[in-house]
Coordinates of all heavy atoms in Angstrom, one line a residue:
M15 N -13.9 101.1 -31.8 CA -14.1 99.8 -31.2 C -13.7 98.7 -32.2 O -14.1 98.8 -33.4 CB -15.6 99.6 -30.8 CG -15.9 100.3 -29.5 SD -17.4 99.7 -28.8 CE -18.6 100.1 -30.0
G16 N -13.0 97.8 -31.8 CA -12.6 96.7 -32.7 C -11.3 96.9 -33.5 O -10.7 95.9 -33.9
S17 N -10.9 98.1 -33.7 CA -9.7 98.3 -34.5 C -8.5 97.8 -33.8 O -7.5 97.5 -34.5 CB -9.6 99.8 -34.8 OG -9.4 100.6 -33.7
G18 N -8.4 97.8 -32.5 CA -7.3 97.4 -31.8 C -6.9 95.9 -32.1 O -5.8 95.6 -32.3
G19 N -8.0 95.1 -32.2 CA -7.7 93.7 -32.5 C -7.2 93.5 -33.9 O -6.3 92.7 -34.1
Y20 N -7.6 94.3 -34.8 CA -7.1 94.2 -36.2 C -5.6 94.6 -36.2 O -4.8 93.9 -36.8 CB -7.9 95.2 -37.1 CG -7.5 95.1 -38.5 CD1 -7.9 94.0 -39.3 CD2 -6.7 96.1 -39.0 CE1 -7.5 94.0 -40.6 CE2 -6.4 96.1 -40.4 CZ -6.8 95.0 -41.2 OH -6.4 94.9 -42.5
D21 N -5.3 95.7 -35.5 CA -3.9 96.1 -35.5 C -3.0 95.0 -34.9 O -1.9 94.7 -35.4 CB -3.7 97.3 -34.6 CG -4.3 98.6 -35.3 OD1 -4.5 98.5 -36.6 OD2 -4.6 99.5 -34.7
L22 N -3.5 94.3 -33.9 CA -2.7 93.2 -33.3 C -2.4 92.1 -34.3 O -1.3 91.6 -34.4 CB -3.4 92.7 -32.0 CG -2.7 91.6 -31.3 CD1 -1.4 92.1 -30.7 CD2 -3.6 91.0 -30.2
A23 N -3.4 91.7 -35.1 CA -3.3 90.7 -36.0 C -2.2 91.0 -37.1 O -1.4 90.2 -37.4 CB -4.6 90.4 -36.7
V24 N -2.2 92.3 -37.5 CA -1.2 92.7 -38.5 C 0.2 92.6 -37.9 O 1.2 92.2 -38.5 CB -1.5 94.2 -38.9 CG1 -0.3 94.7 -39.8 CG2 -2.8 94.2 -39.7
G25 N 0.3 93.0 -36.6 CA 1.6 92.9 -35.9 C 2.1 91.5 -35.8 O 3.3 91.3 -36.0
V26 N 1.3 90.5 -35.6 CA 1.7 89.1 -35.6 C 2.3 88.7 -36.9 O 3.3 88.1 -37.0 CB 0.5 88.2 -35.1 CG1 0.9 86.8 -35.3 CG2 0.2 88.5 -33.7
Q27 N 1.6 89.1 -38.0 CA 2.1 88.7 -39.3 C 3.5 89.3 -39.5 O 4.4 88.7 -40.1 CB 1.2 89.2 -40.4 CG 0.0 88.3 -40.5 CD -0.9 88.7 -41.7 OE1 -0.7 89.7 -42.3 NE2 -1.8 87.8 -42.1
Y28 N 3.7 90.5 -39.1 CA 5.0 91.2 -39.3 C 6.1 90.5 -38.5 O 7.2 90.3 -39.0 CB 4.8 92.7 -38.8 CG 6.1 93.5 -39.0 CD1 6.5 93.8 -40.3 CD2 6.8 94.0 -38.0 CE1 7.6 94.6 -40.5 CE2 7.9 94.7 -38.2 CZ 8.3 95.0 -39.4 OH 9.5 95.8 -39.6
L29 N 5.8 90.1 -37.3 CA 6.7 89.3 -36.5 C 7.1 88.0 -37.2 O 8.3 87.7 -37.3 CB 6.1 89.0 -35.1 CG 6.2 90.1 -34.1 CD1 5.5 89.6 -32.8 CD2 7.6 90.5 -33.8
N30 N 6.2 87.3 -37.8 CA 6.5 86.1 -38.5 C 7.5 86.3 -39.7 O 8.4 85.6 -39.9 CB 5.2 85.5 -39.0 CG 4.4 84.8 -37.9 OD1 4.9 84.6 -36.8 ND2 3.2 84.5 -38.2
L31 N 7.3 87.4 -40.4 CA 8.2 87.7 -41.5 C 9.6 88.0 -41.0 O 10.5 87.8 -41.7 CB 7.6 89.0 -42.3 CG 6.4 88.7 -43.1 CD1 5.9 90.0 -43.7 CD2 6.7 87.7 -44.2
N32 N 9.7 88.4 -39.8 CA 11.0 88.7 -39.2 C 11.7 87.5 -38.6 O 12.7 87.6 -37.9 CB 10.9 89.8 -38.2 CG 11.0 91.2 -38.8 OD1 11.6 91.3 -39.9 ND2 10.4 92.1 -38.2
G33 N 11.1 86.3 -38.8 CA 11.7 85.1 -38.3 C 11.4 84.8 -36.9 O 12.1 84.1 -36.2
S34 N 10.4 85.5 -36.3 CA 10.1 85.3 -34.9 C 9.0 84.3 -34.7 O 8.4 84.3 -33.6 CB 9.7 86.6 -34.3 OG 10.7 87.6 -34.4
A35 N 8.6 83.5 -35.7 CA 7.6 82.5 -35.5 C 8.0 81.5 -34.5 O 9.2 81.3 -34.2 CB 7.4 81.8 -36.9
P36 N 7.0 80.8 -33.9 CA 7.3 79.8 -32.9 C 8.2 78.7 -33.5 O 8.0 78.4 -34.7 CB 6.0 79.3 -32.5 CG 5.0 80.3 -32.9 CD 5.6 81.0 -34.1
R37 N 9.1 78.2 -32.8 CA 9.9 77.1 -33.4 C 9.1 75.9 -33.6 O 8.0 75.7 -33.0 CB 11.1 76.8 -32.4 CG 10.7 76.1 -31.2 CD 11.9 75.8 -30.3 NE 12.8 74.8 -31.0 CZ 12.6 73.5 -30.9 NH1 11.7 73.0 -30.2 NH2 13.4 72.7 -31.5
C38 N 9.6 75.1 -34.6 CA 8.8 73.9 -35.0 C 9.2 72.7 -34.0 O 10.3 72.3 -33.9 CB 9.2 73.5 -36.4 SG 8.5 71.9 -36.9
E39 N 8.2 72.3 -33.2 CA 8.4 71.3 -32.2 C 8.4 69.9 -32.9 O 8.8 68.9 -32.3 CB 7.4 71.3 -31.1 CG 6.0 70.9 -31.5 CD 5.2 72.0 -32.1 OE1 5.8 73.1 -32.5 OE2 4.0 71.9 -32.2
H40 N 8.0 69.8 -34.2 CA 7.9 68.5 -34.8 C 9.2 67.9 -35.0 O 9.4 66.7 -35.0 CB 7.2 68.7 -36.2 CG 5.8 69.2 -36.0 ND1 5.4 70.5 -36.4 CD2 4.6 68.7 -35.6 CE1 4.1 70.7 -36.2 NE2 3.6 69.6 -35.7
V41 N 10.3 68.7 -35.2 CA 11.6 68.1 -35.4 C 12.1 67.4 -34.2 O 13.0 66.6 -34.3 CB 12.6 69.2 -35.9 CG1 12.2 69.8 -37.2 CG2 12.7 70.3 -34.9
D42 N 11.6 67.7 -33.0 CA 12.1 67.1 -31.8 C 11.8 65.6 -31.8 O 12.5 64.9 -31.1 CB 11.4 67.7 -30.6 CG 11.8 69.2 -30.4 OD1 12.8 69.6 -31.0 OD2 11.1 69.9 -29.7
S43 N 10.8 65.2 -32.4 CA 10.4 63.7 -32.4 C 10.8 63.0 -33.6 O 10.3 61.9 -33.9 CB 8.9 63.6 -32.1 OG 8.2 64.4 -33.1
L44 N 11.7 63.6 -34.4 CA 12.2 62.9 -35.6 C 13.0 61.6 -35.3 O 13.8 61.7 -34.4 CB 13.0 63.8 -36.5 CG 12.3 64.7 -37.4 CD1 13.4 65.5 -38.2 CD2 11.5 63.9 -38.4
V45 N 12.7 60.6 -36.1 CA 13.6 59.4 -36.0 C 14.0 59.1 -37.5 O 13.2 59.5 -38.4 CB 12.9 58.2 -35.4 CG1 12.6 58.4 -33.9 CG2 11.6 57.9 -36.1
P46 N 15.1 58.5 -37.7 CA 15.5 58.2 -39.1 C 14.5 57.3 -39.8 O 14.0 56.4 -39.2 CB 16.9 57.5 -38.9 CG 17.4 57.9 -37.6 CD 16.1 58.1 -36.7
V47 N 14.2 57.7 -41.0 CA 13.4 56.8 -41.9 C 14.1 56.4 -43.1 O 15.0 57.1 -43.6 CB 12.0 57.5 -42.2 CG1 11.2 57.8 -41.0 CG2 12.3 58.8 -43.0
T48 N 13.7 55.3 -43.7 CA 14.2 54.9 -45.0 C 13.2 55.2 -46.0 O 12.0 54.7 -45.9 CB 14.5 53.4 -44.9 OG1 15.4 53.1 -43.9 CG2 15.1 52.9 -46.3
P49 N 13.6 55.9 -47.1 CA 12.6 56.2 -48.2 C 12.0 54.9 -48.7 O 12.8 53.9 -49.0 CB 13.4 56.9 -49.2 CG 14.5 57.6 -48.4 CD 14.8 56.6 -47.3
L50 N 10.7 54.8 -48.9 CA 10.1 53.6 -49.4 C 10.1 53.4 -50.9 O 9.8 52.3 -51.4 CB 8.6 53.6 -48.9 CG 8.4 53.6 -47.4 CD1 6.9 53.7 -47.1 CD2 9.0 52.4 -46.8
A51 N 10.5 54.4 -51.6 CA 10.5 54.3 -53.1 C 11.5 55.3 -53.6 O 12.0 56.2 -52.9 CB 9.1 54.6 -53.6
A52 N 11.8 55.2 -54.9 CA 12.6 56.2 -55.6 C 11.9 57.0 -56.6 O 12.4 57.8 -57.4 CB 13.8 55.5 -56.3
T53 N 10.6 56.9 -56.6 CA 9.7 57.6 -57.5 C 8.4 58.0 -56.8 O 8.1 57.4 -55.7 CB 9.3 56.7 -58.7 OG1 8.5 55.6 -58.2 CG2 10.5 56.3 -59.5
C54 N 7.6 58.9 -57.4 CA 6.2 59.1 -56.9 C 5.4 58.0 -57.5 O 5.1 58.0 -58.7 CB 5.7 60.5 -57.3 SG 4.0 60.7 -56.7
R55 N 4.9 57.1 -56.7 CA 4.2 55.9 -57.2 C 2.9 56.3 -57.9 O 2.5 55.7 -58.9 CB 4.0 54.9 -56.1 CG 5.2 54.2 -55.7 CD 5.0 53.4 -54.4 NE 6.2 52.6 -54.1 CZ 6.3 51.9 -52.9 NH1 5.3 51.9 -52.1 NH2 7.4 51.3 -52.7
E56 N 2.2 57.3 -57.3 CA 0.9 57.7 -57.9 C 1.1 58.4 -59.3 O 0.3 58.1 -60.2 CB 0.2 58.7 -56.9 CG -0.1 58.0 -55.6 CD -1.0 58.8 -54.8 OE1 -2.1 59.3 -55.2 OE2 -0.7 59.1 -53.6
C57 N 2.2 59.2 -59.4 CA 2.4 59.8 -60.7 C 2.9 58.7 -61.7 O 2.4 58.7 -62.8 CB 3.5 60.9 -60.6 SG 2.9 62.5 -60.0
Q58 N 3.7 57.8 -61.2 CA 4.2 56.8 -62.1 C 3.1 55.9 -62.6 O 3.0 55.6 -63.8 CB 5.2 55.9 -61.4 CG 6.1 55.1 -62.3 CD 7.1 54.3 -61.5 OE1 6.9 53.8 -60.4 NE2 8.3 54.2 -62.1
A59 N 2.1 55.6 -61.8 CA 1.0 54.8 -62.2 C 0.1 55.4 -63.2 O -0.5 54.8 -64.0 CB 0.1 54.4 -60.9
R60 N 0.1 56.8 -63.2 CA -0.7 57.5 -64.2 C 0.1 58.0 -65.4 O -0.4 58.8 -66.2 CB -1.4 58.7 -63.5 CG -2.3 58.2 -62.4 CD -2.8 59.4 -61.6 NE -3.4 58.9 -60.3 CZ -3.8 59.7 -59.4 NH1 -3.9 61.0 -59.5 NH2 -4.3 59.2 -58.2
G61 N 1.4 57.7 -65.4 CA 2.3 58.2 -66.5 C 2.5 59.7 -66.5 O 2.8 60.3 -67.5
L62 N 2.5 60.2 -65.2 CA 2.7 61.7 -65.1 C 4.1 62.0 -64.6 O 4.8 61.1 -64.1 CB 1.7 62.3 -64.1 CG 0.2 62.0 -64.5 CD1 -0.7 62.4 -63.4 CD2 -0.1 62.8 -65.8
G63 N 4.6 63.2 -64.7 CA 5.9 63.6 -64.3 C 5.9 64.5 -63.1 O 4.8 64.9 -62.6
W64 N 7.1 64.7 -62.5 CA 7.2 65.6 -61.3 C 8.5 66.4 -61.4 O 9.4 66.0 -62.2 CB 7.2 64.7 -60.0 CG 8.2 63.6 -60.1 CD1 9.6 63.8 -59.8 CD2 8.1 62.3 -60.4 NE1 10.2 62.6 -59.9 CE2 9.3 61.7 -60.3 CE3 6.9 61.5 -60.9 CZ2 9.5 60.3 -60.6 CZ3 7.1 60.2 -61.2 CH2 8.4 59.6 -61.0
L65 N 8.6 67.4 -60.6 CA 9.8 68.2 -60.6 C 10.8 67.7 -59.5 O 12.0 67.5 -59.8 CB 9.5 69.7 -60.3 CG 8.8 70.4 -61.4 CD1 8.4 71.8 -60.9 CD2 9.6 70.5 -62.6
R66 N 10.3 67.5 -58.3 CA 11.2 67.0 -57.2 C 10.4 66.0 -56.4 O 9.1 65.9 -56.5 CB 11.6 68.2 -56.3 CG 12.5 69.2 -57.0 CD 12.9 70.3 -56.0 NE 11.7 71.0 -55.5 CZ 11.5 71.3 -54.2 NH1 12.3 70.9 -53.3 NH2 10.4 71.9 -53.9
L67 N 11.1 65.2 -55.6 CA 10.4 64.2 -54.8 C 10.7 64.5 -53.3 O 11.8 64.9 -53.0 CB 10.9 62.8 -55.1 CG 10.5 62.3 -56.5 CD1 11.3 61.0 -56.8 CD2 9.0 62.0 -56.5
L68 N 9.7 64.3 -52.5 CA 9.9 64.5 -51.1 C 9.7 63.2 -50.4 O 8.8 62.4 -50.8 CB 8.8 65.5 -50.5 CG 8.8 66.9 -51.1 CD1 7.7 67.8 -50.5 CD2 10.2 67.6 -50.9
V69 N 10.4 63.0 -49.3 CA 10.2 61.8 -48.5 C 9.6 62.2 -47.1 O 10.0 63.2 -46.5 CB 11.5 61.0 -48.3 CG1 12.6 61.9 -47.7 CG2 11.3 59.8 -47.4
C70 N 8.5 61.6 -46.7 CA 7.9 61.8 -45.5 C 8.8 61.4 -44.3 O 9.2 60.2 -44.3 CB 6.5 61.1 -45.4 SG 5.7 61.2 -43.8
L71 N 9.1 62.3 -43.4 CA 10.0 61.9 -42.3 C 9.3 61.2 -41.2 O 9.9 60.9 -40.2 CB 10.7 63.2 -41.8 CG 11.6 63.9 -42.9 CD1 12.2 65.1 -42.3 CD2 12.6 62.9 -43.5
A72 N 8.0 60.9 -41.3 CA 7.3 60.1 -40.3 C 7.3 58.6 -40.7 O 7.4 57.7 -39.9 CB 5.9 60.6 -40.1
C73 N 7.1 58.4 -42.0 CA 6.8 57.0 -42.4 C 7.7 56.6 -43.7 O 7.6 55.4 -44.0 CB 5.4 56.8 -42.7 SG 4.7 57.6 -44.2
G74 N 8.4 57.5 -44.3 CA 9.2 57.2 -45.4 C 8.5 57.2 -46.7 O 9.1 56.9 -47.8
W75 N 7.2 57.6 -46.8 CA 6.5 57.7 -48.0 C 7.1 58.7 -48.9 O 7.5 59.8 -48.5 CB 5.1 58.1 -47.7 CG 4.2 58.2 -48.9 CD1 3.7 59.4 -49.5 CD2 3.6 57.1 -49.6 NE1 2.9 59.1 -50.5 CE2 2.8 57.7 -50.6 CE3 3.6 55.7 -49.5 CZ2 2.1 56.9 -51.5 CZ3 2.9 55.0 -50.4 CH2 2.2 55.6 -51.4
V76 N 7.3 58.3 -50.2 CA 7.9 59.2 -51.2 C 6.8 59.7 -52.2 O 6.0 58.9 -52.7 CB 9.0 58.5 -52.0 CG1 9.5 59.4 -53.1 CG2 10.1 58.1 -51.0
A77 N 6.7 61.0 -52.4 CA 5.7 61.6 -53.2 C 6.3 62.9 -53.8 O 7.3 63.4 -53.4 CB 4.4 61.9 -52.5
C78 N 5.6 63.4 -54.9 CA 6.1 64.6 -55.6 C 5.8 65.8 -54.8 O 4.9 65.9 -54.0 CB 5.5 64.6 -57.0 SG 3.7 64.6 -57.0
S79 N 6.7 66.8 -55.0 CA 6.7 68.0 -54.2 C 5.6 69.0 -54.6 O 4.9 68.8 -55.6 CB 8.1 68.7 -54.4 OG 8.2 69.1 -55.8
D80 N 5.5 70.1 -53.8 CA 4.4 71.0 -54.0 C 4.6 71.8 -55.3 O 3.6 72.4 -55.8 CB 4.3 72.0 -52.8 CG 3.9 71.3 -51.6 OD1 3.7 70.1 -51.6 OD2 3.7 72.0 -50.6
D81 N 5.8 71.9 -55.9 CA 6.0 72.6 -57.1 C 5.9 71.6 -58.3 O 6.1 72.0 -59.4 CB 7.3 73.4 -57.2 CG 8.5 72.6 -56.8 OD1 8.3 71.3 -56.6 OD2 9.6 73.2 -56.6
S82 N 5.5 70.4 -58.0 CA 5.1 69.4 -59.1 C 3.7 69.5 -59.4 O 2.9 70.0 -58.6 CB 5.5 68.0 -58.7 OG 6.9 67.9 -58.4
P83 N 3.2 69.1 -60.6 CA 1.8 69.3 -61.0 C 0.8 68.6 -60.1 O -0.3 69.1 -60.0 CB 1.8 68.7 -62.4 CG 3.2 68.8 -62.9 CD 4.1 68.6 -61.7
Q84 N 1.2 67.5 -59.5 CA 0.1 66.7 -58.8 C 0.1 66.8 -57.3 O -0.8 66.4 -56.6 CB 0.3 65.2 -59.2 CG 0.3 65.0 -60.6 CD -1.0 65.4 -61.3 OE1 -2.0 65.1 -60.8 NE2 -0.9 66.0 -62.5
H85 N 1.2 67.4 -56.7 CA 1.2 67.7 -55.2 C 0.9 66.5 -54.4 O 0.2 66.6 -53.4 CB 0.2 68.8 -54.8 CG 0.2 70.0 -55.8 ND1 -1.0 70.5 -56.2 CD2 1.2 70.7 -56.3 CE1 -0.7 71.5 -57.0 NE2 0.6 71.6 -57.1
H86 N 1.5 65.3 -54.7 CA 1.1 64.1 -53.9 C 1.7 64.1 -52.5 O 1.2 63.5 -51.6 CB 1.6 62.9 -54.7 CG 0.7 62.6 -55.8 ND1 1.1 62.3 -57.1 CD2 -0.7 62.5 -55.9 CE1 0.1 62.1 -57.9 NE2 -1.0 62.2 -57.2
A87 N 2.8 64.8 -52.3 CA 3.3 64.9 -50.9 C 2.4 65.7 -50.0 O 2.1 65.4 -48.9 CB 4.7 65.6 -50.9
L88 N 1.8 66.8 -50.6 CA 0.8 67.5 -49.8 C -0.5 66.7 -49.6 O -1.0 66.7 -48.5 CB 0.4 68.8 -50.7 CG -0.7 69.6 -50.1 CD1 -0.3 70.2 -48.7 CD2 -1.1 70.8 -51.0
A89 N -0.8 65.9 -50.5 CA -2.0 65.0 -50.4 C -1.7 64.0 -49.2 O -2.6 63.6 -48.4 CB -2.3 64.2 -51.7
H90 N -0.4 63.5 -49.2 CA -0.1 62.6 -48.1 C -0.2 63.3 -46.7 O -0.7 62.7 -45.8 CB 1.4 62.1 -48.3 CG 1.9 61.2 -47.2 ND1 1.4 59.9 -47.1 CD2 2.8 61.4 -46.2 CE1 2.0 59.4 -46.0 NE2 2.9 60.2 -45.5
Y91 N 0.3 64.5 -46.6 CA 0.1 65.2 -45.4 C -1.4 65.4 -45.0 O -1.8 65.2 -43.9 CB 0.8 66.6 -45.5 CG 0.3 67.6 -44.4 CD1 0.6 67.3 -43.1 CD2 -0.4 68.7 -44.7 CE1 0.1 68.1 -42.1 CE2 -0.9 69.5 -43.7 CZ -0.6 69.3 -42.4 OH -1.1 70.1 -41.4
E92 N -2.2 65.7 -46.0 CA -3.6 65.9 -45.7 C -4.3 64.6 -45.2 O -5.2 64.6 -44.4 CB -4.3 66.6 -46.9 CG -3.9 68.0 -47.1 CD -4.4 68.6 -48.4 OE1 -4.9 67.9 -49.2 OE2 -4.4 69.9 -48.5
E93 N -3.8 63.5 -45.8 CA -4.4 62.2 -45.4 C -3.9 61.7 -44.0 O -4.6 61.1 -43.3 CB -4.0 61.2 -46.4 CG -4.9 61.2 -47.7 CD -4.4 60.2 -48.7 OE1 -3.7 59.2 -48.3 OE2 -4.7 60.4 -49.9
T94 N -2.6 62.0 -43.7 CA -2.0 61.4 -42.6 C -1.7 62.3 -41.4 O -1.4 61.8 -40.3 CB -0.7 60.7 -43.0 OG1 0.2 61.7 -43.5 CG2 -0.9 59.7 -44.1
D95 N -1.6 63.6 -41.7 CA -1.1 64.6 -40.7 C 0.4 64.4 -40.3 O 0.8 64.9 -39.3 CB -1.9 64.6 -39.4 CG -3.2 65.3 -39.6 OD1 -3.3 66.2 -40.4 OD2 -4.2 65.0 -38.8
H96 N 1.1 63.7 -41.2 CA 2.6 63.6 -41.0 C 3.1 65.0 -41.4 O 3.1 65.3 -42.6 CB 3.2 62.5 -41.8 CG 2.7 61.2 -41.4 ND1 2.8 60.0 -42.3 CD2 2.2 60.7 -40.2 CE1 2.4 59.0 -41.6 NE2 2.0 59.4 -40.4
P97 N 3.7 65.8 -40.5 CA 4.0 67.2 -40.8 C 5.3 67.5 -41.6 O 5.4 68.5 -42.2 CB 4.1 67.8 -39.4 CG 4.6 66.7 -38.5 CD 4.0 65.4 -39.1
L98 N 6.3 66.6 -41.5 CA 7.6 66.9 -42.0 C 8.0 66.1 -43.3 O 7.7 64.9 -43.4 CB 8.7 66.7 -41.0 CG 8.6 67.5 -39.7 CD1 9.6 67.0 -38.7 CD2 8.8 69.0 -40.0
A99 N 8.6 66.8 -44.2 CA 9.1 66.1 -45.4 C 10.4 66.7 -45.8 O 10.7 67.9 -45.5 CB 8.1 66.3 -46.6
A100 N 11.3 65.9 -46.4 CA 12.6 66.4 -46.9 C 12.7 66.0 -48.4 O 12.2 65.0 -48.8 CB 13.7 65.8 -46.1
E101 N 13.5 66.8 -49.1 CA 13.7 66.5 -50.5 C 14.5 65.2 -50.6 O 15.5 65.0 -49.9 CB 14.5 67.6 -51.2 CG 14.6 67.4 -52.7 CD 15.0 68.6 -53.5 OE1 15.0 69.7 -52.9 OE2 15.3 68.5 -54.7
L102 N 14.0 64.2 -51.4 CA 14.7 62.9 -51.5 C 16.1 63.2 -52.1 O 16.3 63.9 -53.0 CB 13.9 62.1 -52.5 CG 14.4 60.6 -52.6 CD1 14.1 59.9 -51.3 CD2 13.6 59.9 -53.7
G103 N 17.1 62.5 -51.4 CA 18.5 62.7 -51.8 C 19.2 63.9 -51.3 O 20.4 64.1 -51.5
S104 N 18.5 64.7 -50.4 CA 19.1 65.9 -49.9 C 19.9 65.6 -48.6 O 20.4 66.5 -48.0 CB 18.0 66.9 -49.6 OG 17.2 66.5 -48.5
G105 N 19.8 64.3 -48.1 CA 20.4 64.0 -46.8 C 19.4 64.4 -45.7 O 19.8 64.3 -44.5
Q106 N 18.2 64.7 -46.0 CA 17.2 65.0 -45.1 C 17.5 66.2 -44.1 O 17.0 66.2 -43.0 CB 16.8 63.8 -44.3 CG 16.3 62.7 -45.2 CD 15.8 61.4 -44.5 OE1 15.8 61.4 -43.3 NE2 15.5 60.4 -45.3
D107 N 18.4 67.1 -44.5 CA 18.7 68.2 -43.6 C 18.0 69.5 -44.1 O 18.2 70.5 -43.5 CB 20.2 68.4 -43.5 CG 20.9 68.6 -44.9 OD1 20.2 68.5 -45.9 OD2 22.1 68.8 -44.9
H108 N 17.3 69.4 -45.2 CA 16.5 70.5 -45.7 C 15.0 70.1 -45.6 O 14.5 69.4 -46.5 CB 16.9 70.9 -47.1 CG 16.2 72.1 -47.6 ND1 16.6 73.4 -47.2 CD2 15.2 72.3 -48.4 CE1 15.9 74.3 -47.8 NE2 15.0 73.7 -48.5
R109 N 14.4 70.4 -44.5 CA 13.1 69.8 -44.1 C 12.0 70.9 -44.2 O 12.3 72.1 -43.9 CB 13.1 69.3 -42.7 CG 14.1 68.1 -42.6 CD 14.2 67.7 -41.2 NE 14.8 68.8 -40.4 CZ 15.7 68.6 -39.4 NH1 16.0 67.4 -39.1 NH2 16.1 69.6 -38.7
W110 N 10.9 70.5 -44.7 CA 9.7 71.4 -44.8 C 8.7 70.9 -43.8 O 8.4 69.7 -43.7 CB 9.2 71.4 -46.2 CG 7.9 72.1 -46.3 CD1 6.6 71.6 -46.4 CD2 7.7 73.6 -46.4 NE1 5.7 72.6 -46.6 CE2 6.4 73.8 -46.6 CE3 8.7 74.7 -46.4 CZ2 5.9 75.1 -46.7 CZ3 8.1 75.9 -46.5 CH2 6.8 76.2 -46.7
C111 N 8.1 71.8 -43.0 CA 7.0 71.5 -42.1 C 5.7 72.0 -42.6 O 5.6 73.2 -42.8 CB 7.3 72.1 -40.7 SG 5.9 71.7 -39.6
Y112 N 4.8 71.1 -42.9 CA 3.5 71.5 -43.5 C 2.7 72.3 -42.4 O 1.9 73.2 -42.8 CB 2.7 70.3 -44.0 CG 3.2 69.8 -45.3 CD1 4.0 68.7 -45.4 CD2 2.9 70.5 -46.5 CE1 4.5 68.3 -46.6 CE2 3.4 70.1 -47.7 CZ 4.1 69.0 -47.8 OH 4.6 68.5 -49.0
V113 N 2.8 71.9 -41.2 CA 2.1 72.6 -40.1 C 2.5 74.1 -40.0 O 1.7 75.0 -39.9 CB 2.2 71.9 -38.8 CG1 1.4 72.6 -37.7 CG2 1.6 70.5 -38.9
H114 N 3.8 74.2 -39.9 CA 4.4 75.6 -39.7 C 4.6 76.3 -41.0 O 5.0 77.5 -41.0 CB 5.7 75.5 -38.9 CG 5.5 75.1 -37.5 ND1 5.6 73.9 -37.0 CD2 5.0 75.9 -36.4 CE1 5.3 73.9 -35.7 NE2 4.9 75.1 -35.3
Q115 N 4.5 75.6 -42.2 CA 4.6 76.2 -43.5 C 5.9 76.9 -43.7 O 6.0 78.0 -44.2 CB 3.4 77.2 -43.7 CG 2.1 76.6 -43.9 CD 2.0 75.8 -45.2 OE1 2.2 76.4 -46.3 NE2 1.8 74.5 -45.2
R116 N 7.0 76.2 -43.3 CA 8.3 76.8 -43.5 C 9.4 75.7 -43.4 O 9.1 74.6 -42.9 CB 8.6 77.9 -42.5 CG 8.6 77.5 -41.1 CD 8.7 78.7 -40.2 NE 8.5 78.3 -38.8 CZ 9.5 78.0 -38.0 NH1 10.8 77.9 -38.5 NH2 9.3 77.7 -36.7
D117 N 10.6 76.1 -43.8 CA 11.7 75.2 -43.6 C 12.1 75.1 -42.1 O 12.1 76.1 -41.4 CB 13.0 75.7 -44.4 CG 12.7 75.7 -45.9 OD1 12.0 74.7 -46.4 OD2 13.2 76.6 -46.6
V118 N 12.4 73.9 -41.7 CA 12.7 73.7 -40.3 C 14.1 73.0 -40.1 O 14.5 72.3 -41.0 CB 11.6 73.0 -39.5 CG1 10.4 73.9 -39.4 CG2 11.3 71.7 -40.1
Ligands
ZN495 ZN1 6.4 72.0 -37.4
ZN496 ZN1 3.0 62.5 -57.7
ZN497 ZN1 4.0 59.8 -43.9

């Protein structure tokens, strides 16, 4: 009893690894945004550095990426629920969805 549900959960994870995850519906409502800055303002204010910058595709907020020490783009998502970000200067065609946790 109960083992069937466990097997089903494992199967779902396997499907996701094969690229069968539900498509990201967040990209459907994208409109062009203008980046509001050329730096991570929070890092700059504290004299800290970053690896890459992401621009929020909902409001244009610019913050440091998840592989930077301070994760300010992630903090922006947690504050605002804006799901999509693109690397600043990438032409916004390489997008990350925080909700779906993958490139979209
Ligand atoms: Zn999404
Ligand atoms: Zn930052
Ligand atoms: Zn935003």
Side-chain angles (χ1 to χ4, degrees):
M15 283 198 298
S17 63
Y20 183 77
D21 289 340
L22 182 62
V24 172
V26 168
Q27 283 189 344
Y28 184 69
L29 279 178
N30 285 345
L31 288 174
N32 276 332
S34 302
R37 69 179 295 275
C38 173
E39 71 277 13
H40 300 107
V41 295
D42 295 343
S43 52
L44 272 184
V45 294
V47 295
T48 302
L50 296 177
T53 62
C54 177
R55 289 171 175 173
E56 295 189 54
C57 280
Q58 194 175 40
R60 297 172 199 177
L62 302 171
W64 55 81
L65 290 176
R66 295 182 299 132
L67 291 170
L68 300 180
V69 55
C70 172
L71 297 181
C73 69
W75 182 255
V76 175
C78 55
S79 63
D80 292 5
D81 52 6
S82 300
Q84 307 298 317
H85 317 134
H86 284 130
L88 177 63
H90 177 71
Y91 162 65
E92 290 176 344
E93 280 176 22
T94 61
D95 281 334
H96 294 160
L98 295 173
E101 187 166 349
L102 189 67
S104 72
Q106 300 181 8
D107 56 357
H108 188 77
R109 296 170 299 216
W110 173 257
C111 177
Y112 282 104
V113 176
H114 289 101
Q115 289 289 302
R116 60 187 174 89
D117 295 323
V118 293

